[in-house]
Amino acid sequence: MPVPTTEIVIINSNDSFPTPEPLLSTFKQIKTLGVNPSFYTGVEAENPKGGFIIVQWDSYEQHQKVVKSPSYTDVVNDLKPVLSGQNPTGTTEHKIYHVQFSGPAVAFDQPVTEMVIITLKDPGNHGAVVDILSKRSEASGNMLVYGQTREDENKYIIVSGWPTVEAQKQTASKPEVAAALRQLYSLADEDNLYSVTLTKGS
């Protein structure tokens, strides 16, 4: 059975990240290829030059089928300047991850989405890290989900949804959550932590 796959593009720009409209318009054209993925874009809360493009595919195979389509290059032509460093954003760097999350990523629809990227300190820590994240996911009512990246099996992406950044910080300071985080970071290094408000395409 196909497993939903989320494509996450993280962009660091020399200029302000573009408004959602042109990006969402570009991704809307992908639907002409016979697929109907959900897509989001947003700017990092504390860095106006940092942006995200997120596409939720029905499966990784569906994603690859679209990428290999003869029309794909034409459909995403408007997106190329953002990813290649040309105008209008002067992009200097981007990273792409593909993740099969532990459950539906409802965090993308919340006012604030927190995204944490971690890398295991030792490959043998997979089981312990998944156990910690699974318990945190259950405690959050599945508002927190996680998954390994296809690009690096020792790298995990964790997303959670919040009404505000302050609410996230208050929760992280609670003793039981702080203890879980200490345990997690004894097993894995935090590569990046982002807070973003995402806009969903129609």
Side-chain angles (χ1 to χ4, degrees), residues 20-59:
E21 289 75 16
L23 298 179
L24 295 177
S25 176
T26 298
F27 273 101
K28 196 171 183 178
Q29 297 177 54
I30 289 179
K31 296 184 178 182
T32 65
L33 299 179
V35 296
N36 190 31
S38 298
F39 39 86
Y40 301 80
T41 185
V43 181
E44 193 178 338
E46 298 179 357
N47 176 20
K49 296 181 180 181
F52 297 81
I53 298 170
I54 297 171
V55 188
Q56 294 182 304
W57 301 94
D58 289 343
S59 67

Side-chain angles (χ1 to χ4, degrees), residues 5-202:
T5 294
T6 301
E7 179 181 15
I8 300 173
V9 184
I10 305 172
I11 300 170
N12 292 313
S13 173
N14 284 331
D15 203 348
S16 296
F17 193 73
T19 57
E21 289 75 16
L23 298 179
L24 295 177
S25 176
T26 298
F27 273 101
K28 196 171 183 178
Q29 297 177 54
I30 289 179
K31 296 184 178 182
T32 65
L33 299 179
V35 296
N36 190 31
S38 298
F39 39 86
Y40 301 80
T41 185
V43 181
E44 193 178 338
E46 298 179 357
N47 176 20
K49 296 181 180 181
F52 297 81
I53 298 170
I54 297 171
V55 188
Q56 294 182 304
W57 301 94
D58 289 343
S59 67
Y60 184 73
E61 291 71 25
Q62 180 198 62
H63 170 40
Q64 291 303 297
K65 183 178 179 180
V66 170
V67 169
K68 294 175 183 177
S69 168
S71 302
Y72 182 75
T73 300
D74 294 333
V75 170
V76 299
N77 192 51
D78 290 341
L79 186 63
K80 285 183 177 180
V82 180
L83 298 181
S84 66
Q86 302 169 16
N87 287 330
T89 63
T91 300
T92 57
E93 179 184 1
H94 72 278
K95 296 180 181 179
I96 301 177
Y97 298 104
H98 298 86
V99 185
Q100 294 176 344
F101 284 118
S102 56
V106 296
F108 293 149
D109 295 303
Q110 305 308 306
V112 176
T113 300
E114 181 188 59
M115 187 181 307
V116 183
I117 303 175
I118 63 173
T119 300
L120 300 183
K121 293 182 178 181
D122 186 290
N125 292 343
H126 278 290
V129 165
V130 167
D131 183 60
I132 294 168
L133 295 177
S134 178
K135 289 177 180 176
R136 293 310 313 153
S137 179
E138 183 178 356
S140 74
N142 296 317
M143 186 60 70
L144 179 152
V145 293
Y146 59 92
Q148 289 171 281
T149 68
R150 291 185 67 96
E151 290 72 21
D152 182 349
E153 66 178 12
N154 291 314
K155 195 177 294 291
Y156 284 77
I157 295 181
I158 308 159
V159 298
S160 55
W162 305 91
T164 63
V165 173
E166 290 71 23
Q168 184 277 328
K169 292 179 179 179
Q170 289 174 3
T171 299
S173 67
K174 292 182 178 179
E176 67 275 15
V177 177
L181 291 174
R182 285 194 298 271
Q183 185 180 12
L184 175 65
Y185 291 127
S186 71
L187 301 168
D189 294 315
E190 180 186 290
D191 298 339
N192 301 97
L193 186 153
Y194 307 99
S195 293
V196 59
T197 296
L198 295 169
T199 299
K200 186 177 183 178
S202 58

